Amino acid sequence: MSNTNNVHKGAMDILLETSRTFFIPISRLTPGLQEAVASAYLCMRAIDEIEDHPGLPSEEKVSLLRSISLILQKPFQDEDFVLIFEPYKLILPEVTLRIGEWAKYGPSDIAPNIWRATATMSEGMAKWVLKEWQIHNEEDLDDYTFYVAGLVGVMLSEIWLWHDHTETDQNLAIAFGRGLQAVNIIRNRTEDVSRGVNFFPDGWDFNEMFSYARRNLNMADQYTEAIKNGSIYHFCKIPLVLAHGTLSALEAGEEKLSRAAVVELVSQVSGE
């Protein structure tokens, strides 16, 4: 098996391990587009694992995230990441330790966009770790969700434009990522509070957060419906439908969508 095939198989295996939700739509993308989106997702997942790591002190998270950001802003080699990860290779997950592979996995003419977006996200995450995720108002929430998720929407829109000149509205693209993140914040509320992190602005309860999520998901619907490329449309529609379904389940007092509900929603989008 060639090295290219090895990296492809490794990327798909790690993708399946880290996100079944995104594995489904990414695995259905056409060649070239699939590698670009997988590269972007895995790079961003790699730094997300640092931000969320329960065993890393905040100052070490900030150092790692800023180091990654700097590496991605100039010509780099895999060894650059190996050096900064050396003290952490036994505690960081594989998806993070292999970020150098994921960064080089995408097509060469879109890869610099992926590096730039990941570098911006990494620096933004470091900023919020320093702030101890203290979100006091909606402006703070918008800023946090932009860095950890809105940038994903921006990155995807750049990939769509590169792929076949599909143009999308940037504000709607940001809302696409922000809406998915808001659903995650609601779903993980109990766990976050138990570790001393509160992503709800001061004075907000679930009603305000549900409203925030719905508002962004409705904009995400506009974003998705404007996309004419079938492969890209289905990629965006699947996680969006699952987010809507999860939000409805949470509002009904359920912990999450059932596996049967997930299969049903995905089949509705896919027409299977």
Side-chain angles (χ1 to χ4, degrees):
M1 184 181 289
S2 71
N3 185 58
T4 300
N5 288 337
N6 275 328
V7 174
H8 177 75
K9 183 179 185 305
M12 291 297 109
D13 287 347
I14 294 294
L15 189 61
L16 182 59
E17 285 179 22
T18 55
S19 177
R20 290 184 179 275
T21 299
F22 276 101
F23 175 81
I24 298 169
I26 290 176
S27 66
R28 297 180 180 186
L29 289 172
T30 53
L33 189 57
Q34 181 181 99
E35 286 80 4
V37 175
S39 170
Y41 175 84
L42 289 169
C43 284
M44 291 176 171
R45 182 58 184 255
I47 59 175
D48 184 61
E49 292 285 351
I50 295 173
E51 186 209 5
D52 288 343
H53 199 290
L56 275 178
S58 290
E59 61 271 19
E60 294 182 37
K61 290 182 178 184
V62 170
S63 177
L64 281 170
L65 289 167
R66 286 183 167 167
S67 294
I68 291 169
S69 181
L70 289 172
I71 288 171
L72 290 171
Q73 291 178 59
K74 57 180 176 53
F76 63 88
Q77 304 295 328
D78 284 358
E79 291 73 22
D80 296 328
F81 295 104
V82 173
L83 286 172
I84 65 167
F85 290 148
E86 181 62 32
Y88 307 99
K89 62 183 180 181
L90 297 180
I91 62 173
L92 288 174
E94 185 177 0
V95 66
T96 302
L97 296 174
R98 295 175 68 181
I99 189 173
E101 289 181 54
W102 316 142
K104 296 291 182 68
Y105 175 54
S108 59
D109 46 351
I110 189 63
N113 299 59
I114 296 171
W115 305 339
R116 183 175 63 250
T118 306
T120 302
M121 178 182 282
S122 201
E123 181 60 37
M125 285 179 171
K127 179 181 79 171
W128 276 101
V129 173
L130 276 174
K131 287 186 174 185
E132 298 181 334
W133 302 279
Q134 293 294 311
I135 292 173
H136 298 294
N137 50 46
E138 188 169 344
E139 184 179 353
D140 288 342
L141 181 60
D142 276 345
D143 188 78
Y144 174 72
T145 54
F146 169 75
Y147 279 111
V148 300
L151 273 169
V152 177
V154 174
M155 175 73 267
L156 289 174
S157 286
E158 291 185 12
I159 292 175
W160 310 151
L161 186 64
W162 158 81
H163 175 66
D164 68 353
H165 307 294
T166 291
E167 293 190 13
T168 48
D169 182 285
Q170 179 159 298
N171 288 329
L172 297 182
I174 292 169
F176 176 79
R178 191 172 268 153
L180 300 184
Q181 184 65 25
V183 173
N184 284 339
I185 287 173
I186 295 169
R187 183 167 56 87
N188 297 329
R189 173 67 169 169
T190 301
E191 178 187 335
D192 288 335
V193 170
S194 71
R195 62 189 181 95
V197 177
N198 178 21
F199 292 112
F200 283 37
D202 298 343
W204 278 31
D205 59 19
F206 280 103
N207 290 328
E208 285 85 2
M209 190 59 84
F210 275 118
S211 177
Y212 180 85
R214 286 277 183 222
R215 186 165 68 251
N216 281 287
L217 288 180
N218 288 338
M219 293 172 69
D221 286 331
Q222 296 175 49
Y223 172 79
T224 303
E225 294 307 319
I227 295 172
K228 305 307 179 189
N229 178 299
S231 181
I232 295 173
Y233 172 82
H234 284 103
F235 171 85
C236 296
K237 190 69 174 178
I238 289 173
L240 185 53
V241 164
L242 292 176
H244 276 296
T246 298
L247 201 59
S248 295
L250 292 169
E251 284 182 306
E254 301 169 28
E255 287 189 8
K256 61 179 181 179
L257 270 182
S258 68
R259 175 54 53 183
V262 169
V263 171
E264 173 63 22
L265 288 170
V266 171
S267 66
Q268 286 176 14
V269 175
S270 305
E272 297 173 352

